[in-house]
Amino acid sequence: MSHDAAVEGIGMGVGPDGTNVPAVILTARDEYLPIFITSDQAQSIRHSLSGEPFERPLTHDLLVEMVTEFGGAIDGVRIDELADGTFYAKIDAERYVDGQPETFAFDARPSDAIALAVRSECPISVSDEILDAAGRDPDEIEVEKPEPDRDDELVPDDLFSDDPDE
């Protein structure tokens, strides 16, 4: 079974090598799902969540605009696999040709898929299997919601650990 998810915000965790790593925090089934991402991806997601327009299109903005101009739409994003600590996602899209829908599913990094989802305001879904394996109690994680005037900042270090036993 899949559950609708929402982007709760961006957090900072400790990666396997002990360095600070940004994470996008999804919420689904009354659980948080932290997914480690790059600083660039965190900035892209944070920028979109803040609602502040950027002076020129960022990569994810450009992709959404191109898909739309070519007669397509991003219908949804699925976080549907976790293997060896790596999350996998799919982007579901469609376009109409001669009035007939043509559907597509694209393999994607979850960070890219989520960045596109927040821009296109499409649903994000997460499977029970993913939440069972990686979901966390919300009390374990502090999440800071993006604010327009704090576009460059991440939340303080060590808000959650990569070690599920901590």
Side-chain angles (χ1 to χ4, degrees):
M1 175 181 215
S2 288
H3 301 273
D4 288 337
V7 178
E8 190 69 20
I10 303 292
M12 183 67 77
V14 179
D17 61 358
T19 60
N20 294 325
V21 181
V24 61
I25 311 299
L26 299 180
T27 182
R29 201 179 69 183
D30 296 324
E31 296 178 66
Y32 280 171
L33 180 66
I35 301 174
F36 289 117
I37 58 178
T38 66
S39 294
D40 289 346
Q41 298 291 14
Q43 189 69 12
S44 179
I45 293 168
R46 184 182 304 103
H47 180 75
S48 182
L49 290 172
S50 74
E52 290 293 308
F54 200 71
E55 56 204 55
R56 303 210 47 216
L58 298 174
T59 304
H60 296 109
D61 300 311
L62 178 61
L63 184 56
V64 169
E65 185 176 333
M66 290 175 66
V67 167
T68 302
E69 284 297 316
F70 287 128
I74 298 171
D75 293 331
V77 165
R78 297 177 275 144
I79 311 298
D80 60 358
E81 188 177 343
L82 177 61
D84 298 322
T86 300
F87 290 93
Y88 294 85
K90 301 284 186 302
I91 299 169
D92 295 319
E94 71 178 4
R95 71 175 175 179
Y96 283 83
V97 178
D98 297 325
Q100 297 298 313
E102 187 175 4
T103 60
F104 302 88
F106 298 98
D107 186 37
R109 296 184 305 175
S111 55
D112 287 324
I114 292 166
L116 293 173
V118 295
R119 283 168 170 76
S120 61
E121 298 180 1
C122 72
I124 301 169
S125 65
V126 179
S127 69
D128 274 325
E129 294 79 19
I130 300 299
L131 290 166
D132 290 344
R136 300 296 245 330
D137 186 298
D139 293 336
E140 294 178 40
I141 301 173
E142 290 181 42
V143 179
E144 184 172 299
K145 307 258 197 250
E147 298 173 22
D149 59 335
R150 299 187 65 200
D151 202 36
D152 293 358
E153 295 181 33
L154 290 175
V155 296
D157 299 341
D158 303 327
L159 292 180
F160 61 91
S161 169
D162 190 42
D163 183 357
D165 296 327
E166 288 186 1

